Amino acid sequence: MKPGLALAGLLLLAAAAHAAPVIVTAEPLAAFQNLSPADRFGPFVWRGGLVLQSDDPKFGGLSGLVLGKNCEDLTAISDAGRWFTAELSYDGQMLAGLTARDLSPMLDSKGKPQRSKVWGDAEAVTEIAPGRLGVAYESRVRLGTYDVGKLGPKARFVHVPYPGDIDAGDDNGEIEALGVVPVGPDKGALLAISERHWDDKGHARAWLWRGKRAKRFAIARLGDFEVTDLTILADGTVLTLERSFSATALPGMAIRRFPITEVADGKVIAPELLFEGRVPFYAIDNMEGIAACQRDGETRITIMSDNNFNTRLQRSLILQFAYQP
């Protein structure tokens, strides 16, 4: 995904008039690997991390993000139906801090906050065009855009059509990952991957569509991991963020990749594994958001966790890496 250069500045200006300030502290993470000084993990080179905390009970549940110019301006969505905007700061190459800007409700098509947490279950966000974000909701499935560049958090939901069979998945297991194809014959098409909408072989169903034309395919499952987000790089490489998280297993994170040119109707894609790890050796929690941006001539990959509003046992993490394939 190639970030629109105007997105973050426009969003922050628009948000200022309707700000809902929130205080968030950001403690730097010294390392990603807890037992060694290693800073390279496959094609990913450590560029720093943060542990976010706030006394505001509305903060948390972060499930998707986009990053603006120079990897500094962050817009995230919460699965409780809220926008969170912030500015990231750096010390040399390394991510060093975060200044929170705004925590505001995501509005429906009538300009009202989502009616309940079930209706506010925003799980994926992507930049459709400069200043315009696409958001996928899960528990009450729907997909729409928000003109945040013009209206900030006062932007209203505008429905976007999607393949009807997306609704046929298990409750709370439909669209979990969303992106826009930046290059090639499918440029401008939407790509969505489900969380637990399995086919008869246990693969995660996925869709690539533009208008009424859709390709239906699947992503081969990696162990007990489930896809929680994706980002599409400028050359059409798709990176999938995948999570293993349950009451009976240590939290795990995996990242895989495949070229968008592999997508074909009826195909099962087995993405290439780039990284797989679990706690306690790695700084990993319930990882749900991934985004790409450019900084210092590098493609940076930023990953965010959802603490499920369980501040006693879970953390809101931001991890950043340089992607050097």
Side-chain angles (χ1 to χ4, degrees), residues 1 62-66 75-77 123-126 134 136 174-180 191-195 219 226-232 238-243 254-256 258 286-292 301-305:
M1 176 179 63
L62 303 175
S63 55
L65 73 159
V66 293
T75 300
I77 55 171
E123 289 291 346
V125 61
T126 191
E174 298 94 350
I175 296 180
E176 188 78 12
L178 183 69
V180 177
L191 172 67
I193 303 175
S194 66
E195 181 182 10
I219 302 296
E226 297 170 347
V227 174
T228 56
D229 204 2
L230 67 84
T231 188
I232 309 178
V238 181
L239 299 182
T240 61
L241 174 66
E242 307 185 29
R243 165 197 64 196
I255 301 174
R256 294 192 287 170
F258 65 90
N286 177 31
M287 313 312 293
E288 288 217 7
I290 187 170
I301 303 300
T302 303
I303 302 167
M304 177 176 281
S305 70

Side-chain angles (χ1 to χ4, degrees), residues 12-23:
L12 293 177
L13 286 172
H18 305 284
V22 59
I23 297 175

Side-chain angles (χ1 to χ4, degrees), residues 162-196:
Y162 59 86
D165 53 320
I166 286 177
D167 291 343
D170 290 345
D171 187 37
N172 201 35
E174 298 94 350
I175 296 180
E176 188 78 12
L178 183 69
V180 177
V181 179
V183 293
D186 289 312
K187 182 177 181 179
L190 288 166
L191 172 67
I193 303 175
S194 66
E195 181 182 10
R196 291 187 303 278

Side-chain angles (χ1 to χ4, degrees), residues 28 38 59 69 74 78 81 100 119 127 150 168 205 226 231 233 268 325:
F59 177 79
K69 185 179 180 181
L74 178 148
S78 162
W119 280 91
E127 189 173 20
K150 182 178 180 180
R205 297 183 189 273
E226 297 170 347
T231 188
L233 307 183
V268 176

Side-chain angles (χ1 to χ4, degrees), residues 5 9 17 25 46 75 96 117 139 153 165 193 198 202 227 256 279-280 286 304 316 322:
L5 299 183
T25 61
W46 179 241
T75 300
K117 189 177 186 303
S139 295
D165 53 320
I193 303 175
W198 314 119
V227 174
R256 294 192 287 170
V279 297
N286 177 31
M304 177 176 281
S316 294

